[in-house]
Amino acid sequence: MLKFVARRLLLLVPILFGLSVLLFVWLRALPGGPAQALLGERATADSVARIEALYGLNEPWYVQYWKFVSSAIQLDFGNSARTNRPVTEEMARTFPATFELAIAALIFAVGIGIPLGYYAAKKYGTWLDNVSVSGSLLGVAVPVFFLAYILKYVFSVQLGWFPTQGRQDPRIDADHPTGLYVLDGLITGNLEASWDAIMHLVLPAIALGAIPLAIIVRITRASVLDVVHEDYVRTAEAKGLWERTITRRHVLRNALLPVVTVIGLQAGLLFSGAILTETVFAFDGVGRFIAEAISNRDYAVLQGFILVIAAMYVVVNLLVDVSYGLIDPRVRVR
Amino acid sequence: MTNSEPLLDVRDLSVTFTRKGGPSVRAVDGVSFTVRPGETVGLVGESGSGKSVTSLAVMGLLPRRGVQVGGQVAFDDDDLLTLPRDRMRDIRGRDIAMVFQDPMSSLNPVVPIGIQVTEVLERHQDLKGDTARAAAEDLLSRVGIPDPARRLKEYPHQLSGGMRQRALIAMALACRPRLLIADEPTTALDVTIQAQIIELLKELVQDTGASLVMITHDLGVVAGLCDTVHVMYSGRIVESAGRRELFAQPRHPYTGGLLASVPRLDAPRGAPLHPIPGSPTDVLRWSRGCAFAPRCPNRIEPCTDGPPPLESIGGRSLRCLNPLTETEEVATR
């Protein structure tokens, strides 16, 4: 097992190397550059050259690449051309926000998706089944930004149940040692801040979790339908076991194997930020920050953020594979 | 064989599968038989003859939707077919246990063998923790699994097919049931293992005094094991007799065909095999005559006029209008 983890982590090196080269070349192939973006339409050749010299953009790309790699190894990704702050600082601000939002979306998707999928399978062919299947089709089909705007309009603007944007009411005076606002409130004993952060999370989490929810419902339902007809479930019935034992030990433990894979893949996607959701709810996370960085040709930010996201994606997938080995003994070889 | 009150009394059992937009299928039709304490009863027939469905109906394991079950299954003054579901759960695994056909798929792949054995003990005998584990170890060694302490911690994929069937038998016998139903327990196993498993079942049933219903298509198994044999065809019993009588003189042409189709070692080299012509799908509906008539060498005109009744003749039951006679050689066309 340890060897397996080590091998997979070692794989990160070529992945990150290849990605960084691609990213570097691709970013510089985009029309315009950070100097143009900063200076706007009235940029003169002189001012552009001055900015480029400031950021070292006038050097050949392999020299720039070498500089980038040698500092990136020390976790220094340079400064943002837009905010002029270190990229690592921007990461420390935005990643916890996205992480918190992703966790909330996952709790929503898994917490509702697995029970709903299970009962849909249990009540196969009834109205509950039909509603959850067609509902999950709708969940996948509705564009995220549309859903986000509808949620915001109905529940924030019209009903006023939830705040419209941001992560925290600016009138609340709260400390943020970890950057995870809900956790911060609990740590500092500021329960009001925690509750406020949760209220800010509800609508974005629903918007972001809608697609994972729909996928989890469908996979759980299909998987449970498969498993309840397995011979070992009949064996369990023949033993006269209580229905809850059969459900938990014999049906769900087998039915959830494919669901875990799906959850892992979705988690990887969620952690890389949600540009649409974060934009609609003005949620200061990774997705929104990257979107802005792209329009500003903010090379340093894009390079750093995308590499870290790629690394996270690999690690999350590794965690999924490891957990798979824990819940399915047949995979526990090597 | 004893002559005491029957332990299980199946009366006029019928099972019909209904489908939306399709014709309903009567898989079991008016099946009656009894099992006395300590008796071993064989249910014999080809695939699709309704023998497995009969056993699932007795166990209450048929799906609830799309299935109609009729008749009575008396066990201990209870009719198992009308018993509330929770009462039935109490009986299953404790008083009536079942061993299934395919040990590869009948064990939960992600749960250790030990838990799958102890869960029956926990459910029906209130054993817990170390007591349950010790009992499980004892059970595994009784069914001939070496090093049971280690095996309890293993998962099904780490056991061979024969071992898995032994483990399943251990689970079935964990609460010393009075009736064990074995549904083709050796079909999925190697021939060498088959004999071992049959021998094991025989021993365990003798030791515990349990009754056994053996469902099989293998007449060799019946010959070595059963006191009474019921031959099923297309959902009905066509002949019931003691093992000796049946093997000495089959009366129903189908029974005769089954016996004749068993290859014999003492037959001359190159002698032809004697399959029953046609296939089990060439059936007549029982309402229109004998279902076996399309394949029957002894068919006479009245066979296709209506269902032949089940009649008692000389200590056996027979559903045939033109049975094989005492001296007639088994039909070998």
Side-chain angles (χ1 to χ4, degrees), chain A residues 256-269:
Chain A
L256 289 186
L257 294 176
V259 182
V260 169
T261 312
V262 169
I263 293 175
L265 291 173
Q266 293 295 322
L269 286 176

Side-chain angles (χ1 to χ4, degrees), chain A residues 120-137:
Chain A
K122 262 307 224 210
K123 306 277 174 205
Y124 175 72
T126 63
W127 66 268
L128 180 81
D129 185 29
N130 294 333
V131 166
S132 61
V133 168
S134 40
S136 64
L137 193 65

Side-chain angles (χ1 to χ4, degrees), chain A residues 124 231 237 239-240 249, chain B residues 65 92 105 108 116 119 123:
Chain A
Y124 175 72
D231 286 348
E237 288 282 2
K239 289 173 177 173
R249 188 178 289 160
Chain B
R65 280 205 282 165
R92 274 203 302 264
S105 58
N108 186 339
Q116 298 191 53
E119 65 182 359
R123 165 69 176 88

Side-chain angles (χ1 to χ4, degrees), chain A residues 141-156:
Chain A
V142 171
V144 170
F145 67 89
F146 178 74
L147 178 64
Y149 272 119
I150 293 288
L151 286 172
K152 186 168 156 174
Y153 180 74
V154 173
F155 295 101
S156 301

Side-chain angles (χ1 to χ4, degrees), chain B residues 14-290:
Chain B
S14 68
V15 179
T16 309
F17 291 96
T18 54
R19 275 177 309 176
K20 259 187 214 160
S24 57
V25 178
R26 179 153 285 205
V28 175
D29 196 353
V31 164
S32 302
F33 64 95
T34 60
V35 182
R36 286 175 223 289
E39 190 185 22
T40 296
V41 171
L43 277 186
V44 185
E46 287 164 297
S47 313
S49 60
K51 50 198 195 313
S52 291
V53 175
T54 302
S55 66
L56 291 176
V58 170
M59 290 289 284
L61 289 179
L62 288 170
R64 265 172 296 164
R65 280 205 282 165
V67 181
Q68 285 169 358
V69 184
Q72 285 150 24
V73 176
F75 182 86
D76 267 358
D77 306 328
D78 287 320
D79 181 3
L80 297 186
L81 297 184
T82 57
L83 219 54
R85 285 163 50 75
D86 279 356
R87 285 278 310 282
M88 196 60 208
R89 277 186 199 284
D90 288 341
I91 290 176
R92 274 203 302 264
R94 187 187 67 195
D95 299 310
I96 309 179
M98 190 157 175
V99 177
F100 295 99
Q101 185 171 353
D102 187 356
M104 298 300 168
S105 58
S106 293
L107 287 166
N108 186 339
V110 302
V111 173
I113 300 289
I115 290 178
Q116 298 191 53
V117 179
T118 50
E119 65 182 359
V120 202
L121 300 165
E122 281 168 13
R123 165 69 176 88
H124 294 295
Q125 303 197 323
D126 257 332
L127 296 185
K128 286 202 172 60
D130 286 341
T131 341
R133 212 168 309 128
E137 235 177 86
D138 189 46
L139 279 165
L140 287 199
S141 58
R142 264 179 58 205
V143 297
I145 294 181
D147 201 357
R150 182 168 66 93
R151 293 298 185 187
L152 283 179
K153 291 190 199 105
E154 292 190 338
Y155 290 89
H157 70 276
Q158 292 166 293
L159 270 62
S160 68
M163 285 293 169
R164 290 190 219 184
Q165 194 59 292
R166 284 172 193 271
L168 279 157
I169 291 172
M171 291 167 203
L173 293 176
C175 302
R176 294 188 150 258
R178 284 176 288 157
L179 175 65
L180 178 66
I181 301 176
D183 184 1
E184 307 215 23
T186 58
T187 309
L189 300 175
D190 284 349
V191 178
T192 45
I193 311 292
Q194 289 185 3
Q196 292 177 15
I197 295 290
I198 293 295
E199 208 45 46
L200 173 70
L201 276 173
K202 199 171 168 179
E203 261 176 52
L204 291 171
V205 165
Q206 266 164 15
D207 288 354
T208 60
S211 307
L212 174 64
V213 174
M214 186 72 181
I215 292 164
T216 180
H217 60 260
D218 185 344
L219 287 167
V221 170
V222 175
L225 198 62
C226 300
D227 304 312
T228 312
V229 186
H230 303 281
V231 180
M232 287 186 74
Y233 191 80
S234 190
R236 291 198 184 193
I237 290 180
V238 293
E239 184 167 12
S240 303
R243 182 214 345 173
R244 263 172 228 292
E245 296 82 46
L246 191 87
F247 278 86
Q249 177 58 60
R251 297 297 306 276
H252 197 285
Y254 176 59
T255 319
L258 277 182
L259 281 170
S261 65
V262 177
R264 301 177 67 115
L265 271 181
D266 55 1
R269 192 177 265 267
L273 297 172
H274 302 294
I276 301 175
S279 86
T281 51
D282 305 332
V283 291
L284 204 62
R285 281 168 158 271
W286 279 108
S287 55
R288 291 175 48 203
C290 174

